[in-house]
Amino acid sequence: MATMSRSGYGSDDEDSTPAMRRLRRLSLHLLQPSDRPAPEGANALAPAACAGKRRAGGLDVDAAALTAYLRGRHLATQERLYRFFVERPELHTPVELPMAAHRELCFRQMTALVREAGVRPLSLMADDPDEYFAVMEAVGGLDISLAVKFGVQYSLWGGSIINLGTKKHREKYFDKIDNLDYPGCFAMTELHHGSNVQALQTTATFDSVTDEFIIDTPNNGAIKWWIGNSALHGKFATVFARLILPLQGKGGEPADMGIHAFIVPIRDLETHAVLPGIEINDCGHKIGLNGVDNGALRFRSVRIPRDNLLNRFGDVARDGKYTSSLPTINKRFAATLGELVGGRVSLAYSSVGILKVAVTIAVRYALLRQQFGPPKQPEISVLDYQSHQHKLMPMLASAYASHFARQYLVDKYSEMKKTNDEDISADVHVLSSGLKSYITSYTAKSISICRESCGGHGYAAVNRFGGLRNDHDIFQTFEGDNTVLLQQVAGDLLKQYQQKFKGGTLSVTWNYLRDSMSTYLSQPNPVTARWEGEDHLRDPKFQLDAFRYRTSRLLHSVAARLQKHMKTLGGFGAWNRCLNHLLTLAESHVEAVILARFIEAVKRYSSVSSVTLFLPSLLTS
């Protein structure tokens, strides 16, 4: 969709330069041939039918049925949004656009989505997360900056009101966030602290005389940094700060109650002027996502009402007394971050969408581009070469597999929001950490391979790989650095491993470990000790057993290593000594989860199994 806008579809009279006509024609290779009428003229460049369709070898692919299965009940919503933006060329993002113009366009795109297309994102996020993420994927097809800005406004700023606030906050802010009257941002990350949220330094000190909190940035390292939507458009910020209660600590010292979230107005609602005591600086031009206005926030004795504390997990009374249903700082912190897991879910979800786009472009190009061939015979499609198949087909299979894994994640997330079940919440936290980390890393590598697979044409900006690569690259960092998130997965696996041998019960997500730890470890390696026939090696059950056996062996061996090194190095030193082993364990587990979801989805849709049953084999090749 973004490619359509970049080339345009006016007549040759409208853009008469040879370069524009050629770009317009070249853009057609990204579309299904039926999407546009064939150009007229003897020398016109027209899209050819995919060669693969002519060589299908008897495979009957029902594209409409497969599309309906993949998109499910959100097909109509996504198609409606695609049409809405296709019909609004003034909202399309050009290939070359200055940063300031890109930011303003991105805000206009989001405004049109809400006020003209009639989407109510915050309502969807609260009531139907599955539909919300489907909308996010659709708008990401127009511009990834739009999807990220959309996520800042609704997943983060709006999500903090829903998940960390109480009824009074919903009543005051929900509707105006939903309709974009209250654009806002999410001020967690600081210059010196990103992943280590518990070490944030910004303070919110309660003043019992005025019944207010005083928000302060104590030093340069505590400046809120990379805050999306803050440099230009945000009027509010959810600020994460240390809650300080004077005179309530030991010996009358101030008491630090840990990290809490506060609603801080940053601009005047009428004039849009920056409010007193607040300093906002622009983070400037970035590698990608320049439609998102990232800024730096500094607070100098900014006073806010006591009601602006998002008090779901901890509250301060008029007399300064602190109350919470959770007994410790660590439990309150865990509960707070646990409610913000939707950000990681959205990144995993969006990253799969970007992988689909990159693989689709590369596979279509490989089918249409012909090069070399047998002597005195026509050239053959690039995709007929084995080396090219080995580049693209595993990525194609992985795009399907990741699609079903992300759907499983969203289903679990939706269940968590409905039930508030602690076990499901713990599962979603670790599952989202693992899938966000693994999928975003895989997509980043895949985009480069897809670009290379399209040769020189892949280097043209109109063909999107540069934009996809640059816009997606930060997905590996925000909402949790991928290496840090994988360590959380490894830590949870070790926790489950320990509970297993103490007679405890395993969580829902890791149930397979119950069998693997008691069965697989007592058997020979399935890859080296079982049949080698093609039918067996392509059997999904064998493949899944092999993946799970690998995870079990890694888990068992790293547990033994950690126990050994802890005696001399202590807990932190032992963890650091085994860190690469732990990361491999986490990746192995995530791959087993993805493969399991993929196999299950293929079996569930038997009417297309003749086409798709080969995909798990490509994934594991």
Side-chain angles (χ1 to χ4, degrees), residues 235-302:
K235 295 181 185 293
F236 296 87
T238 295
V239 176
F240 287 80
R242 314 193 73 82
L243 172 56
I244 307 299
L245 298 178
L247 305 176
Q248 296 200 24
K250 291 183 178 180
E253 293 293 315
D256 183 343
M257 308 307 295
I259 302 300
H260 289 66
F262 303 81
I263 300 171
V264 182
I266 60 174
R267 287 186 173 91
D268 187 275
L269 290 175
E270 300 299 328
T271 67
H272 202 62
V274 177
L275 294 174
I278 294 173
E279 181 182 322
I280 303 178
N281 289 290
D282 199 317
C283 289
H285 200 276
K286 307 184 292 291
I287 291 174
L289 295 179
N290 280 300
V292 183
D293 52 315
N294 293 89
L297 300 176
R298 183 166 200 151
F299 306 97
R300 301 182 188 275
S301 299
V302 176

Side-chain angles (χ1 to χ4, degrees), residues 123-376:
S123 298
L124 289 177
M125 199 189 77
D127 301 328
D128 190 353
D130 200 2
E131 180 90 353
Y132 171 82
F133 292 123
V135 170
M136 178 178 282
E137 181 178 43
V139 301
L142 179 69
D143 190 333
I144 300 174
S145 283
L146 172 58
V148 171
K149 194 172 182 73
F150 177 95
V152 170
Q153 172 69 13
Y154 297 108
S155 294
L156 298 180
W157 158 232
S160 67
I161 301 299
I162 293 173
N163 298 316
L164 302 181
T166 49
K167 182 180 178 181
K168 62 183 178 183
H169 300 112
R170 279 198 176 218
E171 291 175 347
K172 183 175 181 179
Y173 295 99
F174 188 100
D175 289 342
K176 292 185 177 182
I177 294 174
D178 210 6
N179 66 18
L180 214 50
D181 283 344
Y182 282 0
C185 50
F186 187 81
M188 177 181 280
T189 299
E190 295 178 356
L191 183 59
H192 284 179
H193 290 97
S195 297
N196 188 7
V197 178
Q198 260 186 310
L200 296 178
Q201 294 177 289
T202 301
T203 59
T205 304
F206 183 62
D207 183 348
S208 60
V209 175
T210 62
D211 198 27
E212 295 173 316
F213 291 104
I214 305 170
I215 310 297
D216 268 309
T217 302
N219 54 63
N220 289 342
I223 294 172
K224 297 295 182 180
W225 205 268
W226 291 124
I227 309 305
N229 229 14
S230 69
L232 287 178
H233 299 129
K235 295 181 185 293
F236 296 87
T238 295
V239 176
F240 287 80
R242 314 193 73 82
L243 172 56
I244 307 299
L245 298 178
L247 305 176
Q248 296 200 24
K250 291 183 178 180
E253 293 293 315
D256 183 343
M257 308 307 295
I259 302 300
H260 289 66
F262 303 81
I263 300 171
V264 182
I266 60 174
R267 287 186 173 91
D268 187 275
L269 290 175
E270 300 299 328
T271 67
H272 202 62
V274 177
L275 294 174
I278 294 173
E279 181 182 322
I280 303 178
N281 289 290
D282 199 317
C283 289
H285 200 276
K286 307 184 292 291
I287 291 174
L289 295 179
N290 280 300
V292 183
D293 52 315
N294 293 89
L297 300 176
R298 183 166 200 151
F299 306 97
R300 301 182 188 275
S301 299
V302 176
R303 290 178 173 269
I304 59 172
R306 180 168 53 88
D307 279 350
N308 283 27
L309 167 65
L310 292 172
N311 60 335
R312 178 178 173 186
F313 298 115
D315 201 4
V316 176
R318 179 66 182 84
D319 61 2
K321 183 179 180 181
Y322 183 84
T323 56
S324 174
S325 59
L326 301 170
T328 66
I329 287 178
N330 286 340
K331 286 186 179 295
R332 291 193 294 272
F333 178 75
T336 298
L337 290 196
E339 286 299 321
L340 302 175
V341 72
R344 286 199 296 274
V345 176
S346 67
L347 284 180
Y349 198 101
S350 297
S351 184
V352 174
I354 295 166
L355 176 62
K356 291 178 185 178
V357 172
V359 172
T360 297
I361 295 171
V363 170
R364 285 181 180 173
Y365 178 86
L367 284 165
L368 295 173
R369 177 61 185 252
Q370 295 181 333
Q371 190 156 277
F372 304 114
K376 298 181 181 181

Side-chain angles (χ1 to χ4, degrees), residues 471-525:
D471 286 347
H472 176 272
D473 196 57
I474 193 63
F475 280 40
Q476 300 173 91
T477 302
F478 60 27
E479 292 297 325
D481 174 86
N482 282 356
T483 301
V484 174
L485 293 182
L486 285 176
Q487 290 181 67
Q488 293 181 12
V489 175
D492 190 74
L493 287 167
L494 287 163
K495 176 183 174 183
Q496 301 293 340
Y497 184 79
Q498 185 182 44
Q499 288 180 355
K500 163 68 179 177
F501 289 104
K502 287 184 176 180
T505 58
L506 292 172
S507 68
V508 179
T509 303
W510 318 141
N511 267 341
Y512 80 85
L513 290 174
R514 176 187 58 222
D515 299 323
S516 63
M517 284 189 284
S518 59
T519 303
Y520 293 154
L521 293 181
S522 65
Q523 296 178 354
N525 186 329

Side-chain angles (χ1 to χ4, degrees), residues 562-577:
L562 284 168
Q563 187 175 28
K564 170 188 171 183
H565 290 303
M566 283 182 67
K567 296 175 182 177
T568 55
L569 300 177
F572 181 84
W575 187 270
N576 194 38
R577 175 66 66 87

